[in-house]
Amino acid sequence: MSGLIDRHDLVAALDHAVTKKVTVLAAPAGSGKTSVLRLWADRAEQNHRIAFVTLQPGQDAHLFWFAVLSAIRAACGGEPPFAAPGCNGHDKVLSEVNAIEGPFVLVIDDAHELSSAEDLAELLADLPPLAHAIVATRGELPLHLHKLRLAGQLAEIRSPQLRFTVAETRELLAAAGITLPDRLVDLLHQRTEGWAAGLRLAVLSLAGHPDPERFVTEFSGSDRTVAEYLMAEMLERQRPDVQRLLLRTSLLDRVNGELADLLTGAVGAERILLDLEEANAFVVSLDPERTWFRYHHLFAGLLRLELRRTQADEIPALHRLAAGWFTEHGQPADAIRHLQAAGDWAEATRLLTEHALGLTLDGQGSLVRTLLHAFPAPGDSLALVYAIDELGTLRLDEAAAHLEVARLRGEHEMLLTALDLLLARLRGHFDCVVAQDGVQPFADPALRAMVLLNLGVTEAWSQRLADAERHLLEGAALARDLNRPYLEVSCLAYLGFASTGRSLALARQRCEEAIAFAARHGWDTEAVAAPAHATLAWVLVQTGEFDQASYRLEQVHQTDTEPGVQLLVYVVSALVAAARGHHYDALTDFAAARKVQASMAGEHTLSTQVTAWAIATQARAGMLDQARTALATAGDLPTAAAALGLMEGNPAPAAVAGGDTLTRVEAHLLTALAYCDLDDKRSATTALEQALDLAEPDRLILPFAITGAWQLLEALPAWDTKHAALVTAILDAVRNNTPSAPVDPLSPSELRVLRYLPTNLTRPEIAADLLLSLNTVNTHIRHIYAKLNASDRNTAVQEARAQGLLSRIR
């Protein structure tokens, strides 16, 4: 097979290996060991004399020495021996090798066929200085090479290096005249795990196949050509007890010795699994301790086919045994899968209902959904699970309907109450959640932590920041005690916003800590970390770090987040645009934020500010009639009224009666601008100084940018201010407030999506073609836009062409 393509990396590895004394090439049957050796030998003959020995099954010592001696003489142009050298074979071979001038390589292929490896081990230990040996074998042999390994004279090439890469898979297909879309090449590579024989068999079947996509999608170990190969080369070579173990455990995604003993009704399975792994028999250990194993995808497919053929009536019982073991060992998801496979829907329903919330609180909501959809039909008995799933995907009306069905069944009362609170929070029924009589009724610690989270989030969104901080800290501590890191991240991700009432510096620190904690578990780009990213963006926009605020927004999966976070994201995006003078973009985002607010039953803590900023932005955009109309219906909004007055030519000081620090700073700045227009420089300076006094503790820059008051810092004569450093920071931030260069280059995944943007395919069609979820494609596109500084698809394509990105990925 390798004759079809040039495996440069492996040939180079062998070139480097022959600088050492011995090279071991160990990999399963069909990994392409012989092909690679032949390819290397053909190229290396000009620099080395190479004796190539291929051993036959059951080869004894006499035949071994005869084969080696024959190969050596053939390589050196000598006469073949008439008979095996007998008991002095070792000495005879070494004598002839010593007589060879210059570098010499002895290649011994299929060394696993030796009935005893003692003679080979002795030969390798005694090789002369200019001789090198390459030993190709399917499994580990007792060659006693530890001294060579310690001396740095042993090279080892194993299965991972022999596996075909995606690029080599594509090259192999092309050499056979087969063209497949990249996603099918990736899928074929994934199914074969880069196994050379599997790819070769697939290529043979694909040639002239009428439906290549269906073939690749369905390709498995049950394919006739693959099954015949694996049966002959692997399964039939095993002892009956090993075959029984392989077949009866093939229905498992992973297996350990205890579980294998249970399914086989025998003992000693762990030793068999270890031996199979050492023999490279398509068995792979999954942990450093080598206690859990899995089978190669294609080998597993063959085993399951053979199990169905020979022991079909036992399969349900095997699944039930496996389910019982996984239940006892606290692995409910695996247990549910096996119960479903056994057709035990009642027990699977009971177990999933019992564990669905726990799995969701551990960040496995998608797994719950997969298990749920594996049931033959929805039913009332699964209403609670459906409610949990719908809440996780923000399908709130559907969740409410399922909760009512579950309520009528009269089961899981406290779980229902906790889910009711979650539903109320997601709908924005803030008062309903806060009215909950504490957490004492919830005896289950996980439910208590979930209720604390709901209380804390609700209080944060409704400006009860001190209470929010207390409940979120309690929830995070309880989650930590329960060893539920996903639930802990959920609490910590909202803690930053709850901390904004104390200081922006503390809020920033807590957001960064939450994101770092999430990143340790691989969750920093998931919805659970979105509140921390959004709050960090909220802090950054206030302190004038506009580029970084925009970057943080790109980390938020909008479609996966609750309304409170969505509103915060739109607000930050609008403020970044307003600070840059992009008033119409800002108004679009403010409108989106108000739409989110309209969907909520309660009032978000930022809703009043959103209205005020939107009216002020309309005024600055010259939309004075719209601003007047909006202000007339909005009620008392001093900052909005002051901004409108400035744009209408009716400057007047803004009332500074209350509100948060941001609003009060903005009011003082609008007052300073009004006094400037009234030519009262002294009063303008006083108002400006008051604004700086308030802005100093949190280093607030945003109000100076969006009001335009930063220009007063340049236009007014210098005055004796104690805020010189802050003034410098404000001016630097505003002057440099232009979109920065991309934070990062496009990732490989983003480049794959970028390739589709010049086409007419819709986002759902792109997602289908790439075998990705629509949400993932949307996220990649948002990142592409941000990194290319593009606002839409056409602009992104133009910028990509300008940077040569499209030509690079064709």
Side-chain angles (χ1 to χ4, degrees):
M1 180 180 74
S2 293
L4 294 175
I5 67 170
D6 196 342
R7 306 196 69 186
H8 308 280
D9 292 344
L10 280 172
V11 171
L14 283 169
D15 282 335
H16 177 71
V18 294
T19 62
K20 303 181 185 296
K21 180 61 67 179
V22 174
T23 296
V24 173
L25 198 65
S31 293
K33 299 183 293 296
T34 301
S35 299
V36 169
L37 286 172
R38 293 288 184 189
L39 181 63
W40 172 81
D42 289 344
R43 298 186 180 186
E45 281 180 337
Q46 56 186 345
N47 298 318
H48 303 82
R49 290 191 179 183
I50 300 173
F52 206 108
V53 183
T54 300
L55 301 182
Q56 303 302 316
Q59 199 145 5
D60 62 15
H62 292 291
L63 292 176
F64 167 70
W65 293 119
F66 181 75
V68 172
L69 194 59
S70 298
I72 291 172
R73 291 187 178 176
C76 299
E79 292 291 328
F82 291 106
C87 61
N88 67 339
H90 170 267
D91 296 336
K92 182 66 175 173
V93 167
L94 285 179
S95 173
E96 299 216 10
V97 171
N98 275 307
I100 298 171
E101 295 183 1
F104 173 75
V105 179
L106 174 63
V107 178
I108 300 177
D109 196 14
D110 290 338
H112 54 274
E113 300 289 5
L114 278 171
S115 56
S116 171
E118 292 182 7
D119 294 296
L120 176 57
E122 187 180 356
L123 173 62
L124 297 179
D126 295 336
L127 283 175
L130 293 181
H132 177 89
I134 300 176
V135 179
T137 175
R138 291 184 181 180
E140 299 298 325
L141 296 174
L143 298 178
H144 314 298
L145 300 175
H146 51 279
K147 290 183 179 179
L148 287 177
R149 184 180 287 110
L150 288 173
Q153 286 300 308
L154 176 66
E156 298 175 88
I157 298 174
R158 300 190 175 273
S159 298
Q161 292 160 276
L162 283 162
R163 291 179 193 137
F164 272 57
T165 64
V166 175
E168 288 174 330
T169 301
R170 187 178 295 109
E171 189 177 347
L172 178 64
L173 289 164
I178 299 169
T179 302
L180 293 178
D182 285 349
R183 65 181 180 83
L184 291 183
V185 175
D186 292 344
L187 181 59
L188 181 62
H189 180 265
Q190 177 186 339
R191 288 188 176 275
T192 61
E193 299 186 51
W195 179 46
L199 285 169
R200 178 59 177 158
L201 292 170
V203 166
L204 292 173
S205 298
L206 272 169
H209 196 282
D211 192 349
E213 181 166 354
R214 183 174 63 82
F215 173 83
V216 173
T217 303
E218 297 176 355
F219 185 66
S220 70
S222 60
D223 181 85
R224 183 177 59 81
T225 57
V226 175
E228 288 176 354
Y229 182 93
L230 290 172
M231 283 289 291
E233 294 295 328
M234 291 303 307
L235 189 59
E236 291 177 351
R237 286 172 172 252
Q238 308 301 328
R239 303 190 313 264
D241 61 321
V242 176
Q243 290 187 28
R244 176 178 170 82
L245 182 149
L246 290 170
L247 291 175
R248 293 174 74 87
T249 59
S250 65
L251 48 74
L252 302 166
D253 292 330
R254 56 196 176 99
V255 61
N256 64 14
E258 182 182 338
L259 187 50
D261 283 342
L262 176 66
L263 296 191
T264 58
V267 294
E270 183 173 33
R271 182 68 263 167
I272 293 175
L273 290 167
L274 287 167
D275 289 344
L276 287 169
E277 185 201 23
E278 290 175 356
N280 283 317
F282 292 94
V283 177
V284 182
S285 61
L286 298 175
D287 57 332
E289 294 78 19
R290 298 171 70 202
T291 57
W292 283 96
F293 302 85
R294 73 166 178 87
Y295 304 140
H296 186 287
H297 296 328
L298 294 182
F299 190 42
L302 162 73
L303 294 173
R304 288 167 188 154
L305 173 67
E306 190 65 9
L307 179 66
R308 292 195 302 273
R309 189 181 68 82
T310 60
Q311 304 175 41
D313 56 335
E314 297 188 47
I315 292 176
L318 291 173
H319 278 298
R320 289 191 184 92
L321 280 173
W325 190 94
F326 282 117
T327 300
E328 291 174 7
H329 290 77
Q331 300 175 51
D334 288 305
I336 293 164
R337 281 199 209 91
H338 285 288
L339 287 169
Q340 291 173 330
D344 193 344
W345 302 110
E347 182 62 13
T349 295
R350 184 195 67 77
L351 206 57
L352 182 56
T353 301
E354 182 179 327
H355 291 283
L357 181 63
L359 290 169
T360 302
L361 293 179
D362 288 336
Q364 300 185 68
S366 60
L367 174 57
V368 171
R369 188 171 309 119
T370 299
L371 294 171
L372 189 57
H373 291 168
F375 283 86
D380 290 353
S381 59
L382 285 165
L384 261 178
V385 183
Y386 275 103
I388 291 168
D389 179 50
E390 303 289 13
L391 286 168
T393 54
L394 300 178
R395 292 164 54 90
L396 305 185
D397 291 340
E398 292 85 347
H402 287 301
L403 286 174
E404 285 307 310
V405 172
R407 203 180 323 279
L408 291 173
R409 293 176 60 84
E411 300 171 348
H412 306 284
E413 179 181 350
M414 297 313 297
L415 175 56
L416 269 169
T417 302
L419 294 175
D420 283 338
L421 289 172
L422 175 57
L423 176 62
R425 163 193 145 194
L426 295 177
R427 281 181 161 172
H429 282 292
F430 299 146
D431 291 337
C432 174
V433 179
V434 175
Q436 162 65 32
D437 187 18
V439 296
Q440 297 310 317
F442 297 92
D444 182 272
L447 286 183
R448 286 169 61 87
M450 178 181 169
V451 172
L452 285 166
L453 170 63
N454 288 331
L455 283 170
V457 174
T458 297
E459 289 158 346
W461 293 150
S462 54
Q463 200 58 33
R464 302 173 176 93
L465 297 183
D467 290 336
E469 187 176 12
R470 175 169 55 86
H471 284 133
L472 289 169
L473 285 170
E474 288 178 16
L478 182 53
R480 193 176 310 117
D481 292 341
L482 295 171
N483 192 29
R484 304 199 94 132
Y486 192 86
L487 183 55
E488 184 180 355
V489 168
S490 299
C491 294
L492 295 177
Y494 289 97
L495 185 59
F497 193 86
S499 305
T500 55
R502 294 176 57 187
S503 83
L504 293 187
L506 177 61
R508 178 173 187 160
Q509 175 187 334
R510 283 178 164 171
C511 287
E512 290 171 343
E513 288 172 351
I515 293 167
F517 182 52
R520 290 200 291 273
H521 296 275
W523 299 326
D524 52 316
T525 59
E526 295 188 11
V528 69
H533 286 295
T535 301
L536 184 52
W538 170 236
V539 171
L540 291 167
V541 77
Q542 291 183 74
T543 56
E545 298 168 80
F546 303 114
D547 290 336
Q548 285 301 311
S550 295
Y551 174 71
R552 283 296 162 188
L553 293 185
E554 288 302 317
Q555 311 309 305
V556 180
H557 294 257
Q558 273 284 67
T559 56
D560 293 337
T561 58
E562 66 180 275
V565 176
Q566 292 181 35
L567 188 146
L568 181 58
V569 168
Y570 284 126
V571 168
V572 175
S573 181
L575 291 173
V576 170
R580 289 174 171 158
H582 301 164
H583 300 309
Y584 294 104
D585 290 340
L587 287 172
T588 299
D589 284 324
F590 281 136
R594 294 168 73 177
K595 183 177 180 181
V596 173
Q597 173 62 77
S599 71
M600 301 167 69
E603 187 171 289
H604 192 285
T605 182
L606 295 177
S607 61
T608 300
Q609 287 172 293
V610 168
T611 302
W613 282 323
I615 293 171
T617 304
Q618 285 178 324
R620 292 174 187 128
M623 302 165 61
L624 301 182
D625 291 340
Q626 294 93 322
R628 287 190 206 98
T629 302
L631 184 60
T633 58
D636 184 24
L637 296 175
T639 55
L644 178 58
L646 284 169
M647 299 310 299
E648 289 180 320
N650 298 312
V656 194
D660 64 359
T661 303
L662 193 64
T663 300
R664 287 185 287 138
V665 171
E666 186 178 356
H668 281 299
L669 293 176
L670 290 166
T671 297
L673 288 166
Y675 280 127
C676 256
D677 281 6
L678 296 169
D679 204 27
D680 185 348
K681 307 299 184 185
R682 183 169 183 172
S683 295
T685 301
T686 300
L688 196 57
E689 189 71 22
Q690 290 171 327
L692 289 166
D693 286 340
L694 287 170
E696 182 69 60
D698 281 325
R699 311 291 288 174
L700 292 176
I701 290 175
L702 175 66
F704 294 86
I706 63 174
T707 62
W710 64 272
Q711 298 174 62
L712 299 182
L713 302 177
E714 292 182 322
L716 288 176
W719 74 97
D720 186 16
T721 178
K722 58 188 174 186
H723 303 293
L726 178 57
V727 169
T728 300
I730 292 168
L731 293 175
D732 286 345
V734 175
R735 289 165 180 162
N736 296 325
N737 186 20
T738 54
S740 63
V743 177
D744 293 307
L746 295 185
S747 69
S749 297
E750 289 159 0
L751 285 170
R752 288 178 64 203
V753 173
L754 175 64
R755 186 184 58 209
Y756 287 81
L757 296 190
T759 71
N760 292 322
L761 292 179
T762 64
R763 292 188 182 193
E765 289 170 337
I766 294 173
D769 203 49
L770 289 172
L771 297 180
L772 298 173
S773 71
L774 177 59
N775 183 58
T776 299
V777 169
N778 286 336
T779 299
H780 287 326
I781 289 177
R782 286 202 305 274
H783 288 180
I784 290 168
Y785 286 3
K787 293 178 179 182
L788 296 181
N789 190 25
S791 58
D792 55 37
R793 189 164 175 168
N794 288 335
T795 309
V797 170
Q798 292 171 7
E799 184 59 28
R801 285 190 174 126
Q803 294 185 24
L805 295 175
L806 290 172
S807 59
R808 195 182 309 164
I809 60 176
R810 288 190 185 280

